[in-house]
Amino acid sequence: FYPAFVRERNAFVARRPQPVKDVMSLLAWWAGKQGWSSGAAAPPCWLTELAAVHGCRGMPMAVMGNDAAASSDKGLADAVSRAMETFAGLASAQVTWTDGDLAEYAPEDVPGSLLEQRPLFMDAVNPYCNLLDAGGFTPQELASAAQPPDCFFAFKREAAKWLVRADAMSEGDDEYADAEEGSDAG
């Protein structure tokens, strides 16, 4: 983490469309639900945000919806799946951001020696930073956790909780309606 780039990182995230920010939030939530072997094995928040951006690259916002209220469930699910694919492929990643307009720097700003590193997941705002540098975060545990279909279990468990709550609430409404009907008959 480079504190000198906080302003640039915040601006980078702020410029993303709302559906991309939604994917960022879902990935951060997912990462928080994983049983990492240590704190050092957990992915940095910035990496999860960039994985969301990478997963959404090339997806038309019309598919995802232009804002949170209009987000297409299928578009959001596809974007999360693509971000999980990014996570799953981190051990052999080569993400540079210089092939589009997302990098906050020019391609020539990136040192050639950095471009030769493997795996490589460049920081989108700092041309001197490989987020998968051997001296920092290692992606093996994250890549393993992101393998389908297991990577979606946290989402399924959460959805099941909401379904159980919804069923309990609807049963409570039925009991209330039965009680109301009973009091009208008396």
Side-chain angles (χ1 to χ4, degrees), residues 23-24 26-28 30-31 36 43-52 54-55 80-93 121 132 137 139-147 151:
V23 175
M24 289 177 184
L26 287 169
L27 292 180
W30 174 85
W36 307 113
C45 293
W46 183 233
L47 179 61
T48 62
E49 290 174 343
L50 288 178
H54 190 267
V80 169
S81 292
R82 288 172 63 163
M84 289 294 180
E85 289 171 10
T86 298
F87 281 159
L90 283 180
S92 60
F121 198 104
L132 303 178
F137 172 74
Q140 288 78 9
E141 194 170 335
L142 175 59
S144 177
Q147 297 295 324
C151 64

Side-chain angles (χ1 to χ4, degrees), residues 147-161:
Q147 297 295 324
D150 295 349
C151 64
F152 299 110
F153 287 159
F155 295 108
K156 290 178 181 178
R157 280 192 303 270
E158 190 66 18
K161 289 179 192 175

Side-chain angles (χ1 to χ4, degrees), residues 112-158:
S113 60
L114 188 64
L115 292 174
E116 294 172 8
Q117 293 181 8
R118 296 296 179 270
L120 176 65
F121 198 104
M122 293 288 301
D123 189 318
V125 300
N126 180 353
Y128 305 103
C129 180
N130 175 5
L131 296 171
L132 303 178
D133 182 271
F137 172 74
T138 54
Q140 288 78 9
E141 194 170 335
L142 175 59
S144 177
Q147 297 295 324
D150 295 349
C151 64
F152 299 110
F153 287 159
F155 295 108
K156 290 178 181 178
R157 280 192 303 270
E158 190 66 18

Side-chain angles (χ1 to χ4, degrees), residues 29 32-33 153-169:
W29 174 86
K33 294 293 183 183
F153 287 159
F155 295 108
K156 290 178 181 178
R157 280 192 303 270
E158 190 66 18
K161 289 179 192 175
W162 283 97
L163 290 173
V164 168
R165 288 181 193 144
D167 284 347
M169 288 175 59

Side-chain angles (χ1 to χ4, degrees), residues 30-107:
W30 174 85
K33 294 293 183 183
Q34 303 307 303
W36 307 113
S37 63
S38 69
C45 293
W46 183 233
L47 179 61
T48 62
E49 290 174 343
L50 288 178
V53 172
H54 190 267
C56 293
R57 286 176 80 175
M59 289 189 75
M61 285 299 109
V63 171
M64 294 183 66
N66 292 324
D67 58 38
S71 286
S72 156
D73 292 341
K74 179 166 178 14
L76 196 57
D78 288 347
V80 169
S81 292
R82 288 172 63 163
M84 289 294 180
E85 289 171 10
T86 298
F87 281 159
L90 283 180
S92 60
Q94 189 173 350
V95 177
T96 63
W97 304 106
T98 57
D99 57 345
D101 62 349
L102 291 174
E104 299 287 316
Y105 46 82

